[in-house]
Amino acid sequence: MCADITACVILIGNELLSGRTQDTNLAHLGKELDGLGVRLREARVVRDDIDEIVETVNECRAKFNYVFTTGGIGPTHDDITTECIARAFGVTVVQSDDAVQLMSAHYKNTELTEARLKMARVPEGATLIENPVSGAPGYCMDNVYVFAGIPRIMTAMFESIRHRLRGGPPMRSRSVAAYLGEGVVALGLSEIQYRYQDVGIGSYPFVRDGRFGTSLVLRSVDAARLDAAYNEVRDMIEGCNGKPIDGA
């Protein structure tokens, strides 16, 4: 069996830690990577601190096949990600002529200010990542992909590089819910998980209309094993006098 292709997401920015910005990039990347057969194993939120970002990038790029960073490549003083990536790889920051051309085309009716030109600076040796939304590109260094933090731009950047990513079999999932408490299904669920150790089974409690219930999500790359485990989970719910709610 081939080893999993793994990834880590590094979310950069004080605004994420302060709660001023609610991140949506992680959920999007997790879903998209699943479909490509890349297993998102870890996510980290790092404040705008050069040493911490450099340390985190170096640790993660050695540990995972792919690293994706979001945030910190804009035009303001606190956008320090590019400097950090350059330090992590031991290179200098240079102005990319290709990036300047891309931005000049985007800002052809507006002044390309010094602040905007900051977004054309990349670590030496970087490969640009297209940004069809606002012109300023992201970039890639080895296995590290550097995206903007704005969700719409991050999504567009990811779309422009998805063809570069090589993963394993795509992850499949099925879900079923019931108005039964976790304590009711826990034993039966444990027994099923023991028989299907190649299927991940998650249990998530909920309250709807004042009623307690449990949503069960099963994930596997093996469609046959996934279906078999799913059917056993449905049977277990019925055996607990519950009514399975498929797809919930």
Side-chain angles (χ1 to χ4, degrees), residues 144-192:
V144 179
Y145 292 80
V146 180
F147 298 145
I150 299 172
R152 183 181 172 211
I153 298 176
M154 190 286 300
T155 298
M157 286 181 173
F158 180 82
E159 287 303 311
S160 73
I161 60 92
R162 65 160 52 242
H163 66 282
R164 304 185 198 174
L165 306 178
R166 297 292 179 266
M171 185 66 70
R172 304 170 185 270
S173 67
R174 299 194 68 175
S175 60
V176 59
Y179 284 103
L180 297 171
E182 282 191 299
V184 176
V185 300
L187 179 59
L189 203 60
S190 295
E191 293 172 347
I192 295 171

Side-chain angles (χ1 to χ4, degrees), residues 9-13 15-16 23 25-26 29 44 46 68-73 81 145-150 154:
V9 173
I10 303 173
L11 309 167
I12 298 170
E15 69 278 7
L16 298 173
D23 174 73
N25 291 326
L26 178 59
L29 287 171
R44 303 189 187 187
V46 184
F68 303 94
T69 77
T70 70
I73 58 172
T81 297
Y145 292 80
V146 180
F147 298 145
I150 299 172
M154 190 286 300

Side-chain angles (χ1 to χ4, degrees), residues 96-112 116-117 120 134-137:
S96 165
D97 292 339
D98 290 338
V100 172
Q101 289 183 10
L102 290 170
M103 294 179 65
S104 295
H106 182 82
Y107 290 103
K108 60 184 177 181
N109 297 320
T110 308
E111 181 184 1
L112 191 55
R116 286 172 174 158
L117 279 173
S134 63

Side-chain angles (χ1 to χ4, degrees), residues 126-138:
T127 301
L128 298 185
I129 296 174
E130 182 184 2
N131 170 11
V133 177
S134 63

